[in-house]
Amino acid sequence: MSRVRVFLTARQVAGRAGWRGTDALFRGAVGGLGLVGVGVVLHRVDLVVIGVPLLLATVAALAVPVGGVPVPRIAPLPRSVEAGDGARAVITVDAGPGVEFVAIRLPTPGNASLGPVQLLPGGARTVRAAVRWNAWGEGVDLRPDHLAAGRDALLISGPVVGVETRRTVLPPVVPLGPGPLPPRVSGLVGAHRSRRAGDGVELRAVRPFHPGDRLRRIDWRVTLRAGAATGDPLAVPHVREQHAEVDADLVLVLDSLADVTAELADWSTSAPGVQVRPGGSLDTAVRAAASLAAGYLRQGDRVGLIDLGHPQLSLPPGIGLRQLTRLRHQLVACSRASGRASRPVLLPRQIPPGAVVVFLSPFLDDATATAATTAARHHLVIAVDTLPTPLVADPDTPWGEVVRQILTAEHHARRTALRANGVAVVTTPEAVPAILRRVRP
């Protein structure tokens, strides 16, 4: 009876700590007691000899306390990383003395349902796993699913779905040669020459002195030469006049209403396990926006972002490396909310006066093309067509080729309408600087 009480007490303590018995525990306890009981009743020594070791082994395994349930913990990693970066994740496991082994599975973003299983002995404390972030976006980074087993696997805890860790992988930046932007007077300093005179470094003209000019602007060499010609060295002072340096604005308009690939059969379905289709229209648009922003911010321009589907996610123009970081984070937020709006929204107050507007869209509907042509009435607008080409018809329907031809014709008509309304249409972000050099005032 004392052994039975030890067995019941140990099982109750383990149950309160989060452990549960397995079939091996049931077979060991019931089978051992049953064989001993039957052997005593039937006077069968062989049954007793088989049942006693089985019962003793079960009680001995339960005599070692298992303590609390071991919970794997992941060492902190950066909250935001670059696409293509890698790191080594360190998972710490604090198992009690009664734990015989711990099994840890690490599903990753590229393999969300299954992952490599690490089988650790109960005395192990850490496990290391290599992690690489190949695709940009935000989502589940690591999730240590785990299962722990006591002595002889009589008690187990789990399987337990681990705590998810989320991370933001910033869109990659491809070096682009930025082109000139038309300046506008919006700040004290900038990277572009203005038509008006002011403080700057580029010479505009040398002219006679006027009331109100600063004395430090007098060009004494020109003044002396002019005076030598007239016979009075200081009769006509001359001053150097510079072009004022001002800010130029670039506004990137992201079309997050649709995310499509070249395969028409995939347009009505969502890609499993990812927020953005690799190589799709939205992926192309986000990569182009990040590269354009990096190029123009590097030369001192102001860059902003507008989401056609969600105006609240827009980012006002700013300068510097901090603006680039904010813009890349905002691009991830826009992609996370993609496809949830029915029509584009572009408010006039979102675009600063005199700014250059770059539309990044596949132009699959007339409303988006209308928004671009409306903005072209007051701004220089460049459209970057992100629709993957050539489109591939759906082979599972007899109307697949007809649908492809209709979509291609409508898309061509929208591009023609954009050009007719003064919108330059290009297919790659590398062509944007060439357009700006051609239309620079």
Side-chain angles (χ1 to χ4, degrees):
M1 294 299 296
S2 61
R3 293 173 180 175
V4 175
R5 284 197 296 269
V6 170
F7 166 74
L8 295 176
T9 302
R11 185 172 181 179
Q12 291 174 358
V13 172
R16 289 194 296 267
W19 297 82
R20 72 176 189 275
T22 63
D23 293 341
L25 174 61
F26 177 80
R27 289 192 296 266
V30 176
L33 286 175
L35 289 173
V36 172
V38 172
V40 171
V41 172
L42 300 179
H43 303 284
R44 294 282 302 274
V45 179
D46 54 341
L47 296 180
V48 176
V49 171
I50 296 174
V52 169
L54 184 60
L55 182 60
L56 291 178
T58 302
V59 175
L62 292 177
V64 180
V66 291
V69 176
V71 179
R73 294 178 175 84
I74 301 178
L77 292 173
R79 291 293 300 169
S80 61
V81 295
E82 298 284 342
D85 286 353
R88 184 166 291 275
V90 179
I91 299 94
T92 303
V93 183
D94 189 9
V99 178
E100 190 163 355
F101 68 87
V102 178
I104 300 178
R105 188 181 66 183
L106 296 174
T108 58
N111 194 7
S113 59
L114 297 176
V117 177
Q118 306 288 338
L119 190 61
L120 309 177
R125 291 293 180 266
T126 59
V127 58
R128 291 173 172 82
V131 182
R132 180 168 294 277
W133 300 279
N134 295 320
W136 64 269
E138 184 181 43
V140 176
D141 186 279
L142 282 174
R143 192 187 70 230
D145 302 341
H146 56 279
L147 180 145
R151 296 295 175 87
D152 296 337
L154 300 182
L155 296 175
I156 63 170
S157 173
V160 178
V161 177
V163 178
E164 297 177 347
T165 59
R166 307 183 69 87
R167 212 161 315 282
T168 301
V169 184
L170 300 179
V173 173
V174 178
L176 295 178
L181 293 179
R184 72 177 185 87
V185 181
S186 63
L188 298 178
V189 295
H192 299 275
R193 186 185 71 180
S194 173
R195 296 180 181 272
R196 66 179 177 85
D199 293 330
V201 295
E202 186 174 350
L203 180 63
R204 184 171 185 263
V206 178
R207 58 172 176 78
F209 183 88
H210 296 310
D213 290 337
R214 297 181 179 181
L215 296 179
R216 64 182 178 86
R217 295 187 179 277
I218 296 178
D219 190 329
W220 293 107
R221 298 178 63 182
V222 176
T223 299
L224 292 176
R225 286 198 300 266
T230 60
D232 188 356
L234 299 178
V236 187
H238 285 65
V239 298
R240 296 174 63 86
E241 187 177 81
Q242 286 89 15
H243 287 281
E245 291 181 347
V246 296
D247 292 333
D249 283 353
L250 176 70
V251 177
L252 303 171
V253 180
L254 180 69
D255 183 1
S256 63
L257 300 176
D259 182 18
V260 296
T261 61
E263 302 286 342
L264 295 182
D266 297 336
W267 285 23
S268 60
T269 60
S270 59
V274 296
Q275 296 177 348
V276 178
R277 300 174 187 267
S281 60
L282 187 56
D283 181 32
T284 303
V286 169
R287 291 174 182 268
S291 300
L292 288 170
Y296 285 97
L297 287 172
R298 190 180 301 114
Q299 72 176 12
D301 297 318
R302 296 160 54 89
V303 180
L305 176 67
I306 296 177
D307 187 349
L308 279 180
H310 306 84
Q312 68 275 12
L313 297 179
S314 301
L315 190 65
I319 60 174
L321 181 60
R322 183 178 181 182
Q323 177 70 2
L324 177 60
T325 303
R326 293 177 59 195
L327 193 141
R328 295 171 72 191
H329 278 274
Q330 205 67 13
L331 287 171
V332 175
C334 294
S335 64
R336 187 171 61 247
S338 63
R340 302 178 185 175
S342 57
R343 61 185 182 87
V345 178
L346 182 60
L347 305 177
R349 65 174 181 270
Q350 293 179 284
I351 306 177
V356 174
V357 182
V358 177
F359 265 75
L360 302 147
S361 170
F363 295 104
L364 292 176
D365 55 68
D366 296 336
T368 304
T370 302
T373 56
T374 302
R377 299 173 184 173
H378 308 285
H379 305 275
L380 173 61
V381 177
I382 301 174
V384 179
D385 184 9
T386 61
L387 182 67
T389 55
L391 297 178
V392 180
D394 186 357
D396 296 332
T397 173
W399 300 99
E401 180 59 26
V402 176
V403 172
R404 187 195 69 81
Q405 294 179 5
I406 293 175
L407 290 175
T408 302
E410 290 180 345
H411 184 256
H412 178 73
R414 294 189 190 99
R415 292 182 50 154
T416 303
L418 289 173
R419 293 190 179 96
N421 286 273
V423 178
V425 181
V426 296
T427 56
T428 61
E430 290 81 4
V432 173
I435 298 295
L436 291 174
R437 293 189 188 97
R438 190 164 62 244
V439 301
R440 184 183 184 185

